[in-house]
Amino acid sequence: MAETPRHPIESGVPDAFQYMHPVFLNNYGAWSYHERLRPGVLMHVAKSGDKVWTVRFGTQRQLGPYEINLLCDIADEFGEGYVHFTIRSNMEIMVTDEAKVEPLIKAIEDAGYPVGGTGPSVTMISHTQGWLHCDIPGTDASGVVKALMDELYEEYTNETMPNRVHITTSCCQINCGGQGDIAINVQHTKPPKINHDLVANACERPSVVARCPVAAIRPAMVNGKPSLEVDEKKCICCGACFPPCPPMQINDSEFTKLAIWIGGKHSNARSKPMFHKLVAAGIPNNAPRWPEVAEIVKNILAVYKKDAQDWERIGDWVERIGWPRFFELTELPFTKFHIDNWRGARNSLNASAHIRF
Amino acid sequence: MSATDKPKNPEKHCTYLPSEKKSSKPFHNTPNLDELEKGPWPSFVTGLKRLAMQDKFGNMMVDLLGQLEHSYKTRLGYWKGGTVSVFGYGGGIIPRFTELMGTDGKPMFPESKEFHTIRVQPPAGNHYSTKMLRQLSDSWDKHGSGLIAFHGQTGNIMFIGTTTQNVQTFFDEINEYGWDLGGAGPCVRTGMSCIGAARCEQSNCDEQKIHRLLVNNFMDDMHRPALPYKFKFKVSGCPNDCMNSIQRSDFAVIGTWRDDMKVDQAEVKKYVADKGRKYIVDNVVSRCPTKALSLNDDDTLAVDNRNCVRCMHCINVMTKALSPGDDKGVTILLGGKRTLKIGDTMGTVLVPFMKLESDDDYEALKELAETIIDFWAENALEHERTGETIERIGLVNFLEGIGIEPDPNMISSARQSSYVRMDDWDAEAEKWKARKAG
Ligand code: SF4
Ligand code: SF4
């Protein structure tokens, strides 16, 4: 059957006006203020006087037709037929009548979905693909998130943190989970194991050589075949060579570990945006529930909750109390690895006599 | 599976499994994954099992669970990429083929040996009617596993899990009713914009319009990857930067204002009366990064607008009393990215303020993006993001390449190193004076 192929319509980003709640459309660009009425519920008031209540809740992010139709049924019956997703994959249903808020919350909770994730809570963990679908993952993503959100459930449904907490996970050092108040990222601890038989066919060697941040890779003949060699003393085990050259296997059942970083922040509020910084590493990749990760995360959160002032994000808090105090309060070991040696590292050293005792 | 199959009054719908398994292949043992069905948070494993019980694509999900369980056991991933695309496009599909072979050299989990993801661009601001959500879900149920992630880290709707053959049929179907593929590979990627003007009083720009204008102008560069590496646009309506655009995009557009912020002094007084002076001093006044706030003796708030850096903190705390000014526009930052290869970079200021009102203003924004992408595409090394090009050649060379004059808002401090040639100082100083005289 020689059908003429269908040409794509390059329509790009869909216009959202056709899919948004009419109250958003009618008050577009003309909102006045908002209040948080309880965890998971926002009320926005427009200049026109229109009001909209938003109920936010967490899901498993990967949804099937059953969940989608179930949640759409709730949005149709108890909401007004529209949903919105936040950047952290929280789902939101909007209503324009306050009397609908409680029944909507009840419907969502009865269906097993937690209402929360607003204000100073631990909101949904942003996650990547992991073993479910990525081609280079050192760990899973959905599983780590599920295991942690089980542990942090109460922190999602309550607003008792000093400020919002954004946790991220990443299953390789490319870190597509991004910056987080707490980031749980893969950290490899051994250089790639090269399958020399496959390199010549699978890898464009010059571009693999160029990919290495520390110039540890060089072309070599191995067993009479063109391959690549890694200077293992130089190698920082970042895994950058693995995506362009799958025979340079970086993942390892034992030596792929997890590291925890804290204090990343995207907002410009108070301090400028900040990168997260290393606090703990060498944590086993302990599927299916990663208890060692959960323990460290919960400890950091407990200390932050107790010691930080209102409105301080984790990064703001550590800047105020200083890193020595952070390690003292959390009882996490401080090692030589916490002292940066990458480019610009001198900027992270304490060039002053400012010491807290 | 439609929700009409759902149980009548179940304790928790989200743990529900249908009584009848319609797929023919029996479940594999999944003791590790089963652990992730415990606990209060909705379980993706239960979701996968539900999909595995359905008729069409059920066997694919049975084997997908098998492979995932194997990963949990060995702590290794088993997918490899490949080339799968739709007619007319070079990107937008993430092909996945299993690498997990048995001793006979055949896939251990054959039903899910092809398990591709289709990246689709979401509507600006992530709004959906339930009608559209159901329609998308129905289409995917027909042509794929049914599993959808809202949304991936770049912002795409990710339709996870189908065979090579079904990629085209699914795309054809949803493309007919208004949905287009996102980016993958070295190309302009799917953009993101915050909810902004649709619901947020802190919005300073038309996020959706900017998002659509910028991204839709580069459809060719998105669908036919031929750039040095990825290029991302993100739009946030205010410096709270809910889209994480400064760090996570090459071209960050952040709404801001340049006149005075608005203060409703009556609301300030109410706030003080309600929360107390200590609260407002500790949580608002003393948290201002530039000491631009002061509480007056009569419980009104004094704002030094010339020193306010638009950080948003005080406005976030006192949502009723304080709001952005009227002379709105955007700040544009360039070059944010994560680790690989040179280490993390934040985007840095390129245009401190750009008015976005007239068609000409928007046209100028579009042209700026075009100029940047052209210059970068011509001068970047392979696999080099804009932030890395800037790091390698220096901001000044980049600015000269795109025809933008230096501005003191681009730096957090002036030069510290004297290792620089400044023979043409006088000429440069004259340029500055000429620009000022304007
Ligand atoms: S793991 Fe990183 S440092 Fe080591 S060889 Fe590969 S790219 Fe280079
Ligand atoms: S917006 Fe930020 S910088 Fe401006 S006055 Fe408020 S707290 Fe200070």
Side-chain angles (χ1 to χ4, degrees):
Chain A
M1 208 169 34
E3 280 178 44
T4 30
R6 177 186 168 281
H7 282 268
I9 305 162
E10 303 204 36
S11 48
V13 192
D15 185 346
F17 289 114
Q18 55 190 324
Y19 306 128
M20 71 168 69
H21 194 295
V23 74
F24 292 169
L25 198 64
N26 297 338
N27 297 285
Y28 194 79
W31 291 91
S32 176
Y33 69 93
H34 78 277
E35 283 173 6
R36 289 196 326 274
L37 303 180
R38 52 150 276 178
V41 180
L42 307 167
M43 178 189 69
H44 287 84
V45 181
K47 289 181 179 150
S48 67
D50 284 358
K51 290 183 180 176
V52 61
W53 287 263
T54 298
V55 178
R56 181 179 295 176
F57 56 98
T59 74
Q60 58 272 58
R61 188 176 84 140
Q62 284 96 334
L63 306 173
Y66 175 80
E67 291 89 356
I68 291 172
N69 284 297
L70 171 67
L71 293 167
C72 284
D73 286 351
I74 293 174
D76 286 341
E77 189 180 340
F78 299 93
E80 292 162 359
Y82 295 89
V83 302
H84 171 254
F85 290 89
T86 74
I87 187 176
R88 311 186 74 76
S89 301
N90 291 298
M91 221 168 150
E92 297 181 331
I93 297 175
M94 285 69 59
V95 292
T96 49
D97 175 359
E98 191 169 13
K100 292 182 180 170
V101 174
E102 284 307 318
L104 174 59
I105 292 174
K106 188 170 179 318
I108 295 167
E109 287 179 342
D110 281 352
Y113 296 90
V115 170
T118 50
S121 64
V122 177
T123 188
M124 173 63 168
I125 300 175
S126 71
H127 70 299
T128 53
Q129 292 278 57
W131 290 327
L132 180 71
H133 203 263
C134 184
D135 58 339
I136 53 170
T139 187
D140 196 26
S142 321
V144 184
V145 171
K146 157 69 179 156
L148 270 167
M149 287 315 287
D150 280 342
E151 299 276 342
L152 301 172
Y153 192 86
E154 299 292 320
E155 302 299 351
Y156 181 89
T157 55
N158 288 286
E159 294 182 343
T160 53
M161 286 288 158
N163 200 342
R164 70 196 63 223
V165 179
H166 291 168
I167 302 182
T168 67
T169 65
S170 291
C171 29
C172 76
Q173 285 183 232
I174 293 172
N175 188 217
C176 42
Q179 297 297 308
D181 291 284
I182 300 179
I184 300 146
N185 297 346
V186 154
Q187 186 83 25
H188 302 293
T189 62
K190 289 276 182 279
K193 288 192 291 262
I194 309 178
N195 185 339
H196 293 289
D197 292 339
L198 301 180
V199 170
N201 285 333
C203 318
E204 206 187 304
R205 294 189 306 154
S207 70
V208 182
V209 169
R211 206 67 79 82
C212 178
V214 291
I217 308 175
R218 53 178 177 255
M221 292 296 285
V222 182
N223 307 330
K225 283 185 193 153
S227 185
L228 296 160
E229 234 169 40
V230 169
D231 179 340
E232 298 205 346
K233 280 215 190 72
K234 260 186 167 178
C235 175
I236 48 173
C237 313
C238 67
C241 49
F242 180 49
C245 187
M248 297 181 77
Q249 179 58 261
I250 190 77
N251 292 313
D252 185 277
S253 309
E254 188 185 346
F255 298 116
T256 292
K257 305 276 190 190
L258 293 164
I260 293 179
W261 307 68
I262 64 151
K265 152 181 177 294
H266 290 284
S267 164
N268 290 264
R270 302 166 304 281
S271 45
K272 289 182 180 178
M274 290 188 254
F275 290 118
H276 51 230
K277 282 112 189 156
L278 177 73
V279 295
I283 308 162
N285 186 16
N286 204 354
R289 282 211 161 257
W290 294 272
E292 298 84 356
V293 171
E295 195 187 323
I296 297 173
V297 168
K298 279 161 66 180
N299 173 33
I300 293 169
L301 286 171
V303 174
Y304 164 63
K305 193 167 172 173
K306 192 157 156 234
D307 197 66
Q309 297 171 355
D310 283 357
W311 296 96
E312 279 178 339
R313 293 282 291 269
I314 289 182
D316 296 328
W317 163 61
V318 179
E319 296 239 305
R320 178 174 61 80
I321 66 166
W323 286 96
R325 189 77 76 236
F326 172 84
F327 286 99
E328 178 194 315
L329 292 175
T330 56
E331 295 176 17
L332 290 167
F334 181 81
T335 69
K336 65 179 181 182
F337 301 111
H338 292 101
I339 301 176
D340 207 340
N341 61 355
W342 192 246
R343 61 178 83 183
R346 277 194 72 82
N347 298 327
S348 67
L349 304 181
N350 182 7
S352 76
H354 290 197
I355 309 277
R356 292 171 180 82
F357 295 101
Chain B
M1 195 186 319
S2 84
T4 46
D5 300 338
K6 81 181 176 211
K8 285 297 167 231
N9 287 306
E11 261 291 90
K12 293 207 182 322
H13 288 277
C14 85
T15 53
Y16 161 77
L17 284 179
S19 50
E20 189 197 352
K21 182 169 174 298
K22 294 188 182 140
S23 55
S24 56
K25 193 161 186 169
F27 275 118
H28 303 280
N29 267 342
T30 53
N32 279 290
L33 295 178
D34 297 350
E35 282 299 311
L36 291 168
E37 290 195 278
K38 299 174 185 162
W41 194 262
S43 169
F44 70 103
V45 174
T46 310
L48 295 178
K49 286 188 178 173
R50 264 196 298 263
L51 293 175
M53 293 176 79
Q54 53 183 6
D55 186 10
K56 223 176 147 195
F57 296 100
N59 288 346
M60 175 194 260
M61 298 309 282
V62 167
D63 270 5
L64 188 270
L65 280 159
Q67 173 162 334
L68 191 57
E69 174 69 20
H70 196 81
S71 283
Y72 268 71
K73 251 189 300 210
T74 60
R75 298 173 188 185
L76 291 171
Y78 296 101
W79 297 112
K80 63 174 181 210
T83 33
V84 175
S85 58
V86 297
F87 179 78
Y89 284 0
I93 312 294
I94 309 296
R96 288 294 176 253
F97 298 91
T98 187
E99 281 189 311
L100 197 52
M101 301 298 164
T103 41
D104 57 359
K106 292 199 179 124
M108 276 170 69
F109 300 99
E111 298 288 338
S112 60
K113 66 177 197 284
E114 293 173 8
F115 196 71
H116 314 315
T117 281
I118 297 164
R119 288 185 177 170
V120 172
Q121 297 188 65
N126 293 344
H127 301 272
Y128 298 86
S129 62
T130 52
K131 192 167 160 258
M132 182 41 72
L133 216 49
R134 290 184 208 265
Q135 192 178 344
L136 286 167
S137 174
D138 286 349
S139 292
W140 187 234
D141 200 21
K142 220 182 326 164
H143 302 282
S145 76
L147 190 66
I148 313 180
F150 293 98
H151 300 85
Q153 288 298 323
T154 301
N156 294 288
I157 318 172
M158 298 196 297
F159 294 85
I160 307 173
T162 199
T163 58
T164 306
Q165 196 192 356
N166 279 288
V167 165
Q168 184 75 50
T169 54
F170 173 71
F171 172 66
D172 286 345
E173 180 166 324
I174 64 164
N175 189 225
E176 281 299 323
Y177 61 85
W179 299 81
D180 197 4
L181 294 191
C187 65
V188 169
R189 294 293 186 89
T190 297
M192 281 168 106
S193 50
C194 67
I195 191 165
R199 191 183 64 191
C200 182
E201 71 273 12
Q202 297 172 342
S203 159
N204 291 289
C205 57
D206 188 339
E207 301 83 3
Q208 300 187 36
K209 180 168 175 178
I210 299 167
H211 172 181
R212 298 189 67 223
L213 177 92
L214 289 172
V215 174
N216 288 351
N217 188 37
F218 293 99
M219 278 305 103
D220 191 35
D221 286 306
M222 177 178 287
H223 293 138
R224 291 159 204 94
L227 294 174
Y229 198 18
K230 56 183 108 170
F231 189 98
K232 297 187 182 184
F233 290 105
K234 293 193 199 294
V235 188
S236 286
C238 84
N240 280 318
D241 195 6
C242 294
M243 290 299 104
N244 305 341
S245 60
I246 295 182
Q247 199 271 310
R248 304 200 70 172
S249 71
D250 295 275
F251 192 103
V253 182
I254 311 254
T256 190
W257 68 98
R258 59 181 172 185
D259 57 342
D260 293 356
M261 78 163 73
K262 290 198 250 181
V263 185
D264 181 337
Q265 296 291 7
E267 284 294 340
V268 174
K269 284 187 183 179
K270 260 202 235 164
Y271 196 86
V272 179
D274 181 30
K275 293 274 193 175
R277 309 193 91 211
K278 181 174 164 54
Y279 184 90
I280 198 170
V281 169
D282 287 353
N283 288 292
V284 184
V285 174
S286 67
R287 294 222 175 277
C288 171
T290 50
K291 302 186 172 62
L293 296 173
S294 153
L295 187 64
N296 296 321
D297 287 339
D298 64 355
D299 288 346
T300 57
L301 193 69
V303 184
D304 173 4
N305 279 288
R306 296 266 294 165
N307 278 308
C308 164
V309 288
R310 280 68 179 155
C311 87
M312 297 304 292
H313 172 73
C314 60
I315 300 176
N316 291 342
V317 180
M318 301 171 71
T319 58
K320 254 183 171 171
L322 306 178
S323 43
D326 289 320
D327 188 8
K328 297 173 191 289
V330 297
T331 299
I332 295 167
L333 297 95
L334 194 64
K337 58 167 282 296
R338 189 56 175 124
T339 320
L340 294 176
K341 166 183 169 180
I342 64 160
D344 319 67
T345 59
M346 290 280 179
T348 63
V349 172
L350 184 70
V351 181
F353 188 85
M354 185 181 225
K355 197 82 192 151
L356 283 181
E357 250 168 24
S358 65
D359 289 350
D360 285 353
D361 294 341
Y362 281 100
E363 195 53 36
L365 177 68
K366 208 162 91 175
E367 277 167 18
L368 175 65
E370 286 169 1
T371 310
I372 289 169
I373 290 184
D374 284 350
F375 176 76
W376 167 70
E378 234 161 74
N379 292 280
L381 305 176
E382 190 205 327
H383 217 254
E384 189 177 68
R385 293 284 291 272
T386 48
E388 291 167 312
T389 310
I390 293 171
E391 176 85 9
R392 180 170 56 82
I393 70 173
L395 181 63
V396 170
N397 285 328
F398 201 97
L399 292 175
E400 280 170 4
I402 59 173
I404 287 193
E405 301 295 342
D407 184 295
N409 287 300
M410 292 172 180
I411 57 171
S412 60
S413 92
R415 170 182 292 279
Q416 297 173 39
S417 162
S418 66
Y419 289 172
V420 58
R421 274 190 68 159
M422 298 191 262
D423 340 23
D424 53 353
W425 173 273
D426 288 341
E428 290 299 317
E430 281 311 317
K431 279 197 216 161
W432 165 263
K433 285 183 198 154
R435 282 209 301 282
K436 286 286 118 182

